Amino acid sequence: MTARRLPSGGSTIDRSRPISFTFDGAEVPAFEGDTIASALLANDVVGGFRSPILGRPRGLFSAGTEEPNAFVEISEPWFEPIVAATMVDVVDGMAVRSRPGVGRLRASPESRPLEHRHAHVELLVVGSGHDGFYPARDAAGRGERVMLVDQHRTIQRGAGGDFVAEGVTYLTRTTALGLYDEGYATVLERAAELDRLWHVRAKRVILATGAFERSIAFADNDRPGVMLAYASWLYHVEHGVVPGSRAVLFTARGGAYGAASNLAANGVEIPAIVDVGMTDPDADLIDDAEVLRGWVVSGTGGDHRLEAVHLEGPDGERRTLECDVLLVSGGWDPNLALWRAIGGGVRFDDDVHAFVPTEGPPWLSVVGAAAGEVTNDAPFWFVPAEDTSRHFVDFQRDQTVADIADALGTGLRSIEHVKRATYIGTAIDQGRTSGVLTAAIVNAMLGEHAGAQGPSNARPPSVPVAYATLAGRFRGDLFDPIRTTPLHAWHVEHGAVFEDVGQWKRPRFFPRAGESMDRAVERECLTVRNAVGAMDASTLGKIDVVGPDAPAFLDSMYTNRMSNLAVGSMRYGLMLGLDGLVLDDGVAMRLAEDRYLVTTTTGNAAIVLDRFEEWLQTEWPELRVYCTSVTEQWAVVAINGPLARDVVDAVGTDVDLSREAFPLMTFRDGQAVGVPARIARVSFSGELAYELHVAGWHGPLVWDAVMAAGQAFGIEPYGTEAMHVLRAEKGYVIVGQDTDGSVTPADLGMDWIVNPSKGDFIGKRSLRRADLVRPDRKQLVGLLPQDADAVLPEGAQLVLDEAAEIPMALAGHVTSSYRSPALGRAFALAMLEGGHAMHGRTVFAPLRDRVLACTVTSPVSYDADGARRDG
Amino acid sequence: MLLIPCPWCGPRDEVEFRYGGQAGIAYPADPEALSDDEWAEFLFMRDNPTGPFAERWYHVHGCRRWFDAVRDTSTYRFISSNPPGEEAT
């Protein structure tokens, strides 16, 4: 039916199922089981590709993963930016276009369905040829879990054909992308319905990855129609296709004669075999073929397709032969890409004239052709010539023998340097047809032994793989877990705008219809300052610390004393790293003599718990303390504002809320709205405040009751943005926003919380280190922009002299910045060198379009004497 | 992906663990008695050998227990592991 398809044969195609696809817009008929490459070849399309840098016409060079020329973008029925045409099975209706070596992403690519799967096996075998198949079968016979993968569409035990051994998980059209420590492998399966990335942990791995045919470098060896000899054999056996009508073989290997005789037997004219070596195969296999021993191909002719080869004899004689195919074989090179990427060694074996494996990881072995079971004759790497600037070595990088000579001419000697000077081996084919050739040419040009330097290293993934495949289904909502509080549904219903805090969704503000964020935050702040607001504080990290040694343990973890805290009381605490720098803050509630509830910042809950565990397990295993995360067990409703007491009273509780009976920084266990509740008097706004801690499942009930009871007092919900403004007005820092891992308690003006008399605590000794007591350290200050409406950008740098030359000496940076409704102006917190002694001075924030002058102040800009917190 | 032998859970993937640095660096009994140099030595200075290296690991996404392990830094292979302060198994 097509030009180059034979009337019969082809082990992988189904002639009863004709299909078609488009290549660069033109319809191409194919059979099911064709690759894009075999279908193109069957339609006598050999070229149609271009080299990425020089734009030279290029054609199909191989039949497998080593393909350096024929790359396509798939646009239908799925999108794939770039893939070798030799590796894609045609699907009816598929649309592909040729791509020079670089892929292009779509703005929103629809990839194939993807999934990841994990497997644990005793044995993973890569490559299902004879040498891989039998070890897999034998291991399965011993009852081991075995996975056998092959990148071809069928198991390759013999000459094609499906063959399944019982107990073996065998995956076809599957490529091992990489091997990693201790038998970990990533394996990409291109199943009919989806792409599946396997994560395999194997006790043993056997590589039966075969060998790649070696090319030979000669002038214009990249013309379409020049092809590896074995590739033509494969196209015939698997797809019933021959590559042309008149073929010449150029070989350094007697074994390659078979490829020519195979074509001859199928009607392809073979005018000559150019045998550069003096091998002595049975040349009578092919009638009429002239065997030119000691000759070389010195060049090719033709335009977009090979039309002739120029030959040169041992005594300088020249001939030209017409042909449309030139088969090339320089020999076989074991495919050791996976072996070498995991640290396996190689040496050049002078018997087989190839790099063969030496020592590797104990769990990994190599068998068959990959292990060096190949037959080569004396190697021949490139045809000597005056001008080697069209002797292509790496087709995808358009690099030639002359380019290698140039690199060596600059004084480079290492193959790794040559690689980086020429980029040979760095394209997406990873130099599978150029790596060994380049090493051999470098060694020859340096006058060294053929194996003096091995090829440069390959790295995973062994074939191009889309990021979408690596991501699998972990995209969109599944990219990262989303944590919501028991009150989340209410927030959604009431139009909250959320922000991400760690993995939590927290309401940032609750806009009314048509209200901007600034207006909403201003309203929420004023509501708290003037009446009462309610906030969902459930995300605060909560750790239950219990045991007879809990008081002593917490004394060691916090800068202040927790052991003398009375049951029923709570205390703010600061936690340092061993280096004396602020790590986290929170409040400890003493629930009983031997029990505390410790809160952490929302984003640090897991870090603090891990830290507790680390000290308890590794340094003080004798302490009798247990720590349990209870963050998600509690819903916390924070009620802040001068009318907070009235609201809690209206909600209904058996706890005496009076100022005398229930002072600040104490808590009471009782009930609210008829459910058990822990009520705490703790304020992060500076206003009178209560927190209602209830079981998570009671959260919605209590929140609804608070909002209902609070209606009479003008209650409104507020979000994290208003919370930030309110706390910044009070100069309360947020660890991780106002601190950045380089800040001491003294830098924050919080010496008061460091208790040097209580004995040792984590970080204490570091606070005396010379660098931590420098007077010119950055210290927390408040800033009032002299333009009261100018809100400084957070992160803005501060300088002392606005007229200084650029680069200016930086004196600090803005950490928090807002417009304060209570103050009626913009304000900020900043870390400023020597800032504690600079109150009243002016500093400058040079911005892109203007310089803002700011007055340095105390960080506390609202209610400095704390008159409001008791209501 | 290292295969890390948790003494309690057996061999598990590296992603379940957190690295804890060199093992056997005890917190000083009396930090206040140390000079700045001695404290800095404890705080910052660690060995970096080629070959077997005693390390701390934390099975953070598993049993949440710390343990010590000896790993060959030239091959990444684990040689042994044991609960903190106990003999290697």
Side-chain angles (χ1 to χ4, degrees):
Chain A
M1 102 184 194
T2 48
R4 300 293 174 207
R5 185 88 68 183
L6 299 172
S8 65
S11 62
T12 70
I13 58 168
D14 182 348
R15 288 175 188 260
S16 71
R17 306 185 80 157
I19 54 178
S20 73
F21 68 104
T22 63
F23 175 69
D24 286 340
E27 183 152 332
V28 181
F31 288 124
E32 199 158 297
D34 263 323
T35 63
I36 289 170
S38 69
L40 290 175
L41 207 56
N43 290 276
D44 204 25
V45 179
V46 170
F49 301 92
R50 290 211 169 258
S51 73
I53 296 164
L54 300 177
R56 290 171 67 91
R58 291 281 164 80
L60 292 165
F61 188 67
S62 76
T65 50
E66 68 270 44
E67 179 57 42
N69 290 335
F71 288 93
V72 294
E73 172 192 286
I74 303 173
S75 52
E76 294 293 339
W78 63 80
F79 177 75
E80 199 161 333
I82 190 161
V83 61
T86 51
M87 298 307 293
V88 181
D89 293 326
V90 175
V91 173
D92 197 27
M94 184 175 254
V96 303
R97 57 195 294 182
S98 62
R99 288 293 304 156
V102 180
R104 287 183 303 204
L105 280 179
R106 283 178 177 174
S108 55
E110 290 171 22
S111 62
R112 300 186 72 198
L114 300 161
E115 72 173 28
H116 285 205
R117 205 177 274 191
H118 292 256
H120 294 82
V121 296
E122 272 73 40
L123 178 63
L124 168 68
V125 181
V126 182
S128 66
H130 182 277
D131 297 300
F133 178 84
Y134 288 100
R137 191 197 62 176
D138 293 348
R142 292 193 299 270
E144 295 184 5
R145 293 167 296 176
V146 180
M147 181 177 278
L148 174 62
V149 305
D150 198 294
Q151 61 192 6
H152 296 91
R153 51 186 294 116
T154 55
I155 291 293
Q156 300 290 307
R157 177 179 63 118
D162 291 337
F163 191 94
V164 188
E166 280 194 21
V168 176
T169 302
Y170 80 101
L171 304 174
T172 54
R173 285 193 273 217
T174 300
T175 304
L177 297 176
L179 298 179
Y180 306 87
D181 299 288
E182 301 297 328
Y184 188 84
T186 52
V187 170
L188 176 62
E189 180 188 6
R190 290 177 208 80
E193 69 284 5
L194 49 60
D195 281 351
R196 186 177 285 128
L197 186 66
W198 290 82
H199 303 257
V200 183
R201 180 72 80 172
K203 202 164 201 169
R204 289 176 292 126
V205 178
I206 293 176
L207 296 177
T209 44
F212 288 125
E213 194 161 34
R214 184 186 290 166
S215 180
I216 298 172
F218 53 90
D220 296 322
N221 58 335
D222 62 333
R223 203 178 299 282
V226 180
M227 180 182 286
L228 293 171
Y230 185 67
S232 89
W233 187 87
L234 275 180
Y235 282 122
H236 168 239
V237 170
E238 296 188 342
H239 304 103
V241 171
V242 293
S245 59
R246 190 173 152 88
V248 170
L249 170 68
F250 178 26
T251 184
R253 175 176 74 88
Y257 280 43
S261 64
N262 176 268
L263 291 186
N266 286 285
V268 179
E269 196 182 340
I270 308 289
I273 290 174
V274 181
D275 186 346
V276 67
M278 296 309 219
T279 62
D280 190 24
D282 183 0
D284 298 337
L285 280 172
I286 309 163
D287 297 338
D288 305 331
E290 187 180 359
V291 177
L292 299 168
R293 292 182 199 285
W295 286 60
V296 294
V297 174
S298 58
T300 66
D303 186 11
H304 284 64
R305 172 86 192 247
L306 183 70
E307 291 170 13
V309 291
H310 307 301
L311 310 179
E312 195 174 317
D315 302 317
E317 54 275 56
R318 291 174 181 279
R319 284 171 61 177
T320 293
L321 288 177
E322 285 185 11
C323 61
D324 60 358
V325 173
L326 176 64
L327 304 183
V328 177
S329 180
W332 289 108
D333 288 314
N335 174 11
L336 294 169
L338 291 167
W339 169 260
R340 299 190 59 225
I342 186 66
V346 297
R347 65 176 175 86
F348 194 84
D349 185 302
D350 285 317
D351 292 329
V352 300
H353 307 291
F355 288 98
V356 298
T358 55
E359 290 299 305
W363 45 269
L364 183 61
S365 53
V366 191
V367 297
E373 292 174 15
V374 293
T375 306
N376 286 326
D377 296 308
F380 183 79
W381 307 101
F382 67 100
V383 176
E386 285 272 294
D387 177 5
T388 55
S389 65
R390 297 193 318 280
H391 284 46
F392 285 88
V393 176
D394 186 329
F395 290 18
Q396 244 198 311
R397 288 295 187 208
D398 274 326
Q399 291 292 301
T400 64
V401 173
D403 293 317
I404 295 174
D406 281 352
L408 296 176
T410 65
L412 301 182
R413 290 296 176 268
S414 161
I415 189 76
E416 295 292 345
H417 290 159
V418 171
K419 170 182 180 173
R420 283 152 183 82
T422 60
Y423 287 172
I424 286 176
T426 61
I428 60 177
D429 67 342
Q430 294 214 27
R432 276 184 272 271
T433 56
S434 61
V436 173
L437 189 54
T438 302
I441 292 169
V442 167
N443 290 330
M445 285 181 172
L446 293 176
E448 307 268 9
H449 177 261
Q453 291 191 67
S456 63
N457 216 342
R459 293 188 183 84
S462 61
V463 297
V465 54
Y467 282 110
T469 305
L470 300 178
R473 292 181 178 170
F474 302 111
R475 295 189 284 172
D477 284 349
L478 298 183
F479 175 67
D480 200 33
I482 294 172
R483 303 175 78 185
T484 58
T485 76
L487 310 177
H488 188 73
W490 192 95
H491 304 324
V492 171
E493 205 173 303
H494 289 77
V497 173
F498 291 92
E499 73 166 331
D500 293 335
V501 182
Q503 292 168 328
W504 289 100
K505 294 286 180 197
R506 297 197 72 181
R508 193 174 186 196
F509 56 98
F510 293 83
R512 291 179 177 168
E515 200 176 43
S516 68
M517 171 167 150
D518 286 351
R519 293 290 303 160
V521 171
E522 180 180 4
R523 174 179 52 75
E524 291 175 13
C525 287
L526 290 173
T527 302
V528 172
R529 291 274 181 244
N530 298 329
V532 61
M535 191 186 71
D536 180 358
S538 307
T539 62
L540 274 185
K542 294 175 274 295
I543 303 169
D544 184 81
V545 181
V546 64
D549 295 316
F553 173 63
L554 292 180
D555 277 352
S556 297
M557 300 309 292
Y558 287 93
T559 60
N560 49 347
R561 204 187 289 273
M562 296 297 181
S563 57
N564 64 354
L565 189 60
V567 173
S569 286
M570 54 207 292
R571 186 169 288 161
Y572 177 77
L574 209 53
M575 195 178 292
L576 309 183
L578 269 176
D579 52 12
L581 304 173
V582 173
L583 191 90
D584 201 50
D585 65 352
V587 169
M589 298 173 151
R590 189 152 198 182
L591 307 181
E593 282 301 320
D594 64 348
R595 180 169 230 131
Y596 293 79
L597 186 86
V598 168
T599 66
T600 73
T601 53
T602 295
N604 266 348
I607 292 167
V608 171
L609 178 59
D610 281 350
R611 179 180 163 81
F612 284 177
E613 289 291 344
E614 178 178 347
W615 285 93
L616 286 171
Q617 292 182 33
T618 66
E619 288 290 344
W620 305 314
E622 69 280 7
L623 291 186
R624 293 159 298 167
V625 180
Y626 284 101
C627 300
T628 308
S629 168
V630 293
T631 300
E632 294 177 347
Q633 277 68 21
W634 292 92
V636 179
V637 180
I639 302 163
N640 281 245
L643 303 179
R645 186 178 287 119
D646 303 273
V647 172
V648 179
D649 192 41
V651 163
T653 176
D654 58 354
V655 172
D656 181 352
L657 299 175
S658 68
R659 187 187 298 201
E660 300 70 28
F662 193 174
L664 187 69
M665 296 309 273
T666 62
F667 65 92
R668 300 289 179 259
D669 286 334
Q671 57 85 18
V673 207
V675 301
R678 176 171 296 139
I679 305 179
R681 265 207 64 197
V682 58
S683 176
F684 198 41
S685 64
E687 301 296 330
L688 174 67
Y690 296 84
E691 281 181 359
L692 305 184
H693 295 234
V694 298
W697 56 84
H698 288 141
L701 170 84
V702 172
W703 177 268
D704 286 346
V706 167
M707 297 310 290
Q711 204 166 13
F713 305 96
I715 199 167
E716 288 182 23
Y718 68 100
T720 52
E721 196 65 24
M723 176 192 82
H724 280 189
V725 177
L726 297 167
R727 65 87 202 176
E729 289 169 347
K730 288 293 297 174
Y732 297 154
V733 296
I734 289 185
V735 172
Q737 172 159 347
D738 301 297
T739 73
D740 59 2
S742 71
V743 176
T744 68
D747 296 339
L748 296 174
M750 292 172 73
D751 309 73
W752 54 270
I753 206 171
V754 178
N755 184 342
S757 67
K758 73 164 180 170
D760 192 35
F761 58 85
I762 302 303
K764 180 183 181 185
R765 176 62 186 83
S766 286
L767 295 177
R768 285 200 283 123
R769 294 185 59 238
D771 189 61
L772 298 201
V773 296
R774 278 188 296 113
D776 61 344
R777 290 180 59 82
K778 285 187 183 179
Q779 295 163 340
L780 183 74
V781 296
L783 291 182
L784 294 177
Q786 288 168 9
D787 173 354
D789 291 325
V791 178
L792 287 158
E794 289 174 354
Q797 296 292 322
L798 302 172
V799 300
L800 302 180
D801 176 6
E802 63 171 321
E805 272 187 47
I806 294 172
M808 297 177 168
L810 303 178
H813 61 276
V814 175
T815 60
S816 295
S817 176
Y818 315 94
R819 182 182 160 74
S820 164
L823 304 176
R825 69 173 345 277
F827 78 112
L829 298 177
M831 295 299 292
L832 180 64
E833 286 178 4
H836 290 160
M838 289 175 63
H839 292 188
R841 286 183 57 183
T842 298
V843 297
F844 303 91
L847 306 179
R848 188 184 299 269
D849 52 350
R850 59 181 171 158
V851 175
L852 290 180
C854 308
T855 305
V856 179
T857 68
S858 155
V860 184
S861 52
Y862 184 79
D863 186 32
D865 54 1
R868 300 181 63 85
R869 62 193 186 191
D870 287 321
Chain B
M1 175 91 68
L2 300 177
L3 190 63
I4 300 179
C6 173
W8 291 279
C9 306
R12 298 294 174 115
D13 280 350
E14 178 184 352
V15 292
E16 296 180 16
F17 295 84
R18 207 185 86 195
Y19 184 60
Q22 183 174 0
I25 309 280
Y27 185 69
D30 183 6
E32 295 300 314
L34 300 185
S35 68
D36 274 4
D37 283 349
E38 288 166 335
W39 178 251
E41 176 75 20
F42 159 74
L43 199 55
F44 300 120
M45 305 309 284
R46 296 294 182 267
D47 295 337
N48 185 21
T50 298
F53 185 44
E55 302 171 327
R56 304 189 316 155
W57 287 86
Y58 179 39
H59 198 182
V60 58
H61 301 298
C63 63
R64 294 183 52 226
R65 286 204 262 189
W66 283 87
F67 58 94
D68 292 345
V70 177
R71 185 177 64 100
D72 188 322
T73 59
S74 61
T75 64
Y76 310 139
R77 299 206 90 193
F78 280 81
I79 297 163
S80 63
S81 68
N82 53 278
E86 292 182 19
E87 287 299 303
T89 53

